[in-house]
Amino acid sequence: MLRSLYIQNYALIEELDIAFDEGFSVITGETGAGKSIILGAIGLLLGQRADTKSIRQGAAKCIIEARFYISPYKLQDFFEENELEYDDECIFRRELHASGKSRAFINDTPVSLPMMKELGEQLIDVHSQHQNLLLNKEDFQLGVLDVLAQNEEQLEKYRQTYKVWKELDKELKDVIEQAEKNKADEDYIRFQLEQLEAARLKDGELEELEEEAETLTHAEEIKNSLYKIDQIFNGDETGILSELKDGLNTLINVSKVYSKASELAERTDSCYIELKDIAMEVAGKVDEIEFNPERLEEVNERLNLIFSLQQKHHLQTVAELIALTNEYKTRLSEITSFDERIADLTQKRDQQFQKVIAKAAILTQKREKAAREVEKDMVARLIPLGMPNIRFVVEMNARKEPSPNGADAVAFLFSANKNSTLQNISAVASGGEIARVMLSVKAIIAKAAKLPTIIFDEIDTGVSGEIADRMADIMQEMGKQERQVISITHLPQIASRGKAHYFVYKQDNDTETNSHIRRLNDEERVEEIAHMLSGATLTEAALNNAKELLKQTR
């Protein structure tokens, strides 16, 4: 229940602080006095986007704060899940700064607008005239049935199942699309792979081949150089090894009489061993090196093959060519496995679809039962509202494909006259009829949903006289069902029914205009209702009529 509303520096409101009663209350005031401004402020508390133009001229920021009594409504889980402090009284606050910054709070804890909206929708419903257009929205009509059928838990289970089905269906479509694309490329991939595999590439072989080619190309030069070195080491008369061996023997002999020569002999021996090893390796390589034009041709052909593959695939190394080969293998493997994947996904999707259908059937069954209740209840409510020949039918048809809300297509069909056929309600109902239908729908929803507070913004537009009395009866009855109902109205019949009566008005001073709201006492109520009956000039008859209206209400 909305206990109080505080507004500071919002549009024409400098400061407003008003408490609200439980039950049925009314708000009246001249057109342009500020009733829509108050509703706009409440809308900000329900998560609507802010506009800095709404801030009162010259003010740095505006504040809107509402206090709700929430103890009876079992909202503790919401507060725990969102790490909010819970109390029997809940405070909503929005702050709009001239800089464009906007802040939202629940019980002094900063929150996001979606969170504020989610909680706000469980506390208050503001019904403005444009909401009558919802009657033509299938989602709204379906929502009416779900509220009456208490389908919240079942609908959530269905949506989870539906979500999995749609995900599987999308995955299957993606795989089929990829399979078709890959199959279109299969011949090309297979040809490229066969060419790469035929090359039998090995990582590092390019460097080895280039070195071998260099050696084969300069074989004669290399062989002559190695032979020359071999002669230097092993020549019969002047070979380094022979001379070094003689020097080593001399040092060994002299070391017998000159001890310091022993160390020199050891060092010379090490050099001799190393040089002898080098000489043997050089001699071996002299025999190895041979000019082999056939092998050179083979190496060059291999190099040309590798270079052509690199150029063709725009790659720099053999390792990259090997990686491309493996990639082509993987893609071919995927192509050949697509049929299996498609079959597996198709089976999973179809099995999930059957679960969707089964859960949708439960929703349909409960909705059909609720639809018959809506038809009966709406007729019972609309006949007293001046529609003695009313026919109201909830038409339910199966969708071609399930939607996030189930497998049902719903339409509210309406006829107010004996000689007219049933048609979609928005196509045949007048403005006054739409208002009465919407009030009846809201009354049905409110009873099932146990919504704490409902605000009707001129839902009585287009009606008068006895019909207004009957609409007042409905709102007054709604206010007796542990619910707070507030009606913004221009009709005295409805204004007289309120347990509390609030008056919105404007005051001018030398520099500005301010909107205010105050609760009327008994005498002020008589005058306000009399004004609503007779206009600006108060007549004795109007005052008496106003008193009579208020007396009937009491």
Side-chain angles (χ1 to χ4, degrees), residues 470-488:
R470 301 287 77 79
M471 292 181 74
D473 288 340
I474 292 175
M475 286 185 275
Q476 193 173 35
E477 185 61 31
M478 289 171 68
K480 293 177 181 178
Q481 300 169 352
E482 297 183 356
R483 184 177 297 103
Q484 181 186 47
V485 178
I486 301 172
S487 177
I488 298 173

Side-chain angles (χ1 to χ4, degrees), residues 423-482:
Q423 296 184 52
N424 195 294
I425 189 167
S426 63
V428 293
S430 66
E433 289 170 340
I434 286 286
R436 283 174 273 175
V437 170
M438 198 61 175
L439 176 61
S440 300
V441 169
K442 286 282 184 175
I444 293 172
I445 293 174
K447 185 177 180 181
K450 295 181 170 56
L451 192 65
T453 299
I454 300 177
I455 299 177
F456 290 110
D457 180 20
E458 299 182 3
I459 196 172
D460 48 34
T461 298
V463 300
S464 59
E466 185 180 354
I467 304 306
D469 280 334
R470 301 287 77 79
M471 292 181 74
D473 288 340
I474 292 175
M475 286 185 275
Q476 193 173 35
E477 185 61 31
M478 289 171 68
K480 293 177 181 178
Q481 300 169 352
E482 297 183 356

Side-chain angles (χ1 to χ4, degrees), residues 12 23 42 153 185 205 259 273 400 415 428 436 443 451 484 502-503 521 540:
L12 295 179
I42 292 174
E153 184 177 345
D185 297 338
E205 72 168 314
S259 60
I273 293 171
K400 291 182 179 178
S415 172
V428 293
R436 283 174 273 175
L451 192 65
Q484 181 186 47
Y502 302 90
F503 180 64
N521 59 34
E540 191 65 29

